[in-house]
Amino acid sequence: MTFLAMPAPLEGVLERRGEIVAALQRIVPGEGVVHHPDGLRPFESDGLTAYRQMPMVVVLPQTVQQVSEVLRYCYEMGIRVVPRGSGTSLSGGALPLEDSVLLVMSRFNRILDIDFTNRAVVVQPGVTNLAITKAVMHAGFYYAPDPSSQIACSIGGNIGENSGGVHSLKYGLTTNNVLGLEIVLMNGEVVRLGGKHLDSEGYDFLALMTGSEGLLGLVTEVTVRILQAPETARAVLLGFPTSEGAGACVAAIIGEGIIPAGMEMMDRPAIHAAEDYVHAGYPLDVEALLIVELDGPLGEVDHLIARVEEIARNEGATHLRVSQSETERQVFWAGRKAAFPAIGRISPDYYCMDGTIPRKALPLVLRRMKEMSEQYGLGVANMFHAGDGNLHPLIMYDAAKENDLEKAEHFGADILRLCVEVGGVLTGEHGVGVEKRDLMETMFSEDDLAVQQLVKCAFDEKALLNPGKVFPQLCRCAELGRMHIHKGALPFPDIPRF
């Protein structure tokens, strides 16, 4: 295991552990407080299992009042809090601290209201992503964001990371499908943002919270937008002799003004692993595979499929297959959604990356990643949301081999630096967490990061909520308030300071 610098324990907190546990048990009675070592072990990491840290204590509240009282107590006593949903985060966003209260929201697992008239569903944050669609599909509706982990990931975690999925190209990320939130601030105050209405007055705090990685507040209720299922949905498998050809096809489809419901790409290692695992009928004699889904009225879908077929042939596609039934369409997607476990069958360990690039840079980035793979002596399988440039390279390694994990981390960091170099960003949907925290200066200047931290100070001035994540350096809010420029003049002196 490699060393990851995390905030040192706050003075005196660990010495008061018994007192803290007793106080939390009064707030959340019964089995809601876990403090024995064996009980704490399952919470020592999230989906980024390379890093592990036992929390001081785990709390599983069941009511908003309990969440509020726990946060208020920790605020008054100067105790750090790390929020956690289902623990599927791939960036270490839910990694505990040794002096932290790990506040787990898995018991908030009820669907509170289904409102077809307003096309909205109100849920608690522990409800899984897929459960929302299952609850409304009988009436012909669904929830659009669909991460590959949707069977397990919670909607609260989706809010924290602004998760996407294969259908995000046309229907947007979590932030485009959330209408309202109830959150609890670090001082215990309960705040409501948005609602079933389409827009809210004033600043867009709803968008600010979505993707804030648990640094600003803790979500206790979510109102999401549901969509009516399209009349027709069909998927097309397109195989290409080169990754460059597949990348050019992606750009050509979008360039023609066609916005598919989803457009995913897999390279040869990913294709073979997924086919061996799922038997989806993927061609094995191609270097790259596109899955392009078109949805809408039947006539429109037939027209768009014909156009996509023509574009693909012009770009050199050597394999073309259109789904002829809903079952076949689902099978096409089953291989892509099972790509992660498929790689797990052929590699002892893998490191899943997440970066986003401009579509035009796809061929260059794929070529550079192949060179890096040879440089580090580690295999890499590529699968990604090709339509919006969100890459998910899976670096294959063996943690039992000396330095293999360290090589995988350096390989991953080089991929993320490359994403920024070609005009992209460090993350598309997995978040920064601890994984990309020390790369933030690759993308942001010191002033950029200071302004971002000032936003956190407005919500959490004591820096008790999920510290050690996102920002490469911990700064006190008072220090950040001393920003100055030429000759000591404050920038924008008419703006009130935090």
Side-chain angles (χ1 to χ4, degrees):
M1 186 181 305
T2 58
F3 175 74
L4 178 70
M6 294 299 287
L10 293 174
E11 185 177 354
V13 171
L14 292 175
E15 287 78 3
R16 293 187 283 126
R17 182 175 185 271
E19 169 194 329
I20 293 168
V21 168
L24 294 172
Q25 287 175 326
R26 289 191 292 270
I27 298 171
V28 186
E31 299 179 348
V33 176
V34 180
H35 58 96
H36 294 295
D38 289 345
L40 296 174
R41 185 66 63 186
F43 300 97
E44 67 180 355
S45 71
D46 57 15
L48 185 63
T49 55
Y51 304 117
R52 301 172 186 269
Q53 171 63 59
M54 293 272 277
M56 178 177 66
V57 59
V58 172
V59 179
L60 296 97
Q62 290 183 288
T63 68
V64 177
Q65 181 65 28
Q66 288 176 346
V67 173
S68 175
E69 290 184 17
V70 168
L71 289 177
R72 185 181 300 112
Y73 169 77
C74 292
Y75 175 80
E76 292 173 351
M77 302 304 294
I79 302 165
R80 290 163 168 164
V81 176
V82 175
R84 178 186 173 104
S86 297
T88 59
S89 168
L90 291 167
S91 62
L95 182 70
L97 303 175
E98 63 176 309
D99 63 341
S100 70
V101 172
L102 190 66
L103 197 55
V104 180
M105 300 299 290
S106 57
R107 293 184 175 182
F108 278 68
N109 57 8
R110 292 187 297 124
I111 294 177
L112 302 175
D113 179 49
I114 298 176
D115 185 347
F116 291 117
T117 301
N118 286 304
R119 300 193 175 193
V121 176
V122 182
V123 302
Q124 292 183 316
V127 171
T128 62
N129 176 287
L130 187 58
I132 300 176
T133 290
K134 287 184 175 180
V136 299
M137 63 189 305
H138 69 278
F141 287 83
Y142 73 110
Y143 179 59
D146 54 348
S148 294
S149 59
Q150 67 179 150
I151 192 172
C153 64
S154 65
I155 195 67
N158 291 174
I159 297 292
E161 306 294 2
N162 191 20
S163 303
V166 299
H167 290 99
S168 294
L169 173 61
K170 184 173 183 179
Y171 296 107
L173 301 167
T174 298
T175 190
N176 306 112
N177 291 275
V178 171
L179 298 172
L181 294 175
E182 178 186 76
I183 62 173
V184 184
L185 303 180
M186 188 63 218
N187 64 4
E189 182 182 354
V190 180
V191 177
R192 282 192 170 273
L193 304 173
K196 293 180 181 179
H197 45 286
L198 293 179
D199 203 358
S200 301
E201 69 285 349
Y203 294 116
D204 193 357
F205 290 112
L206 188 63
L208 182 65
M209 287 299 303
T210 307
S212 60
E213 303 198 33
L215 271 68
L216 306 182
L218 203 138
V219 175
T220 50
E221 185 182 289
V222 184
T223 302
V224 300
R225 174 188 289 109
I226 54 173
L227 302 177
Q228 194 161 17
E231 175 188 324
T232 304
R234 297 173 71 190
V236 187
L237 284 184
L238 302 172
F240 294 84
T242 65
S243 294
E244 287 81 2
C249 185
V250 170
I253 290 171
I254 300 294
E256 284 293 312
I258 301 171
I259 306 298
M263 185 154 53
E264 299 291 297
M265 183 171 169
M266 303 167 68
D267 67 2
R268 175 179 282 269
I271 295 166
H272 282 249
E275 180 61 20
D276 288 345
Y277 184 42
V278 175
H279 308 295
Y282 292 166
L284 299 179
D285 59 345
V286 299
E287 288 298 320
L289 182 70
L290 288 181
I291 308 175
V292 183
E293 181 170 300
L294 291 310
D295 67 1
L298 177 60
E300 179 185 356
V301 170
D302 288 343
H303 171 69
L304 291 177
I305 286 177
R307 290 183 63 191
V308 167
E309 287 178 320
E310 181 182 0
I311 293 169
R313 290 192 182 96
N314 290 339
E315 297 296 340
T318 55
H319 177 92
L320 196 153
R321 178 180 164 198
V322 181
S323 65
Q324 299 302 314
S325 66
E326 176 61 16
T327 299
E328 189 174 24
R329 183 184 74 87
Q330 294 288 354
V331 170
F332 285 3
W333 284 117
R336 167 61 183 89
K337 291 215 171 225
F340 287 15
I343 295 297
R345 295 174 72 240
I346 64 174
S347 177
D349 301 280
Y350 65 79
Y351 193 19
C352 178
M353 304 305 300
D354 164 56
T356 300
I357 61 172
R359 284 185 292 267
K360 66 179 181 180
L362 193 55
L364 168 64
V365 170
L366 288 172
R367 186 168 61 252
R368 291 275 295 274
M369 278 197 285
K370 186 175 182 180
E371 294 170 358
M372 293 177 194
S373 175
E374 295 172 356
Q375 172 190 341
Y376 284 102
L378 297 175
V380 60
N382 284 291
M383 57 210 71
F384 39 87
H385 311 313
D388 52 14
N390 187 195
L391 311 180
H392 291 313
L394 299 184
I395 300 170
M396 293 174 273
Y397 71 99
D398 186 349
K401 292 183 179 179
E402 187 176 3
N403 298 326
D404 240 27
L405 173 56
E406 184 177 358
K407 287 196 296 183
E409 290 176 319
H410 287 301
F411 186 178
D414 283 348
I415 290 174
L416 294 175
R417 292 189 186 98
L418 174 60
C419 288
V420 175
E421 177 187 326
V422 300
V425 295
L426 291 172
T427 180
E429 57 176 334
H430 291 179
V432 176
V434 296
E435 176 204 26
K436 307 176 184 76
R437 181 195 66 188
D438 297 333
L439 292 170
M440 286 285 276
E441 290 171 323
T442 303
M443 183 172 172
F444 297 106
S445 70
E446 183 178 345
D447 285 348
D448 291 333
L449 292 171
V451 170
Q452 292 179 46
Q453 289 186 75
L454 281 170
V455 174
K456 176 172 173 57
C457 290
F459 288 82
D460 176 26
E461 76 276 9
K462 294 184 180 181
L464 296 174
L465 199 54
N466 216 13
K469 317 293 172 60
V470 179
F471 299 115
Q473 296 181 8
L474 285 177
C475 301
R476 294 184 178 182
C477 293
E479 296 170 341
L480 290 167
R482 297 172 183 164
M483 290 174 57
H484 64 277
I485 55 173
H486 185 59
K487 296 183 178 180
L490 281 171
F492 311 110
D494 54 319
I495 297 177
R497 302 290 153 182
F498 290 104

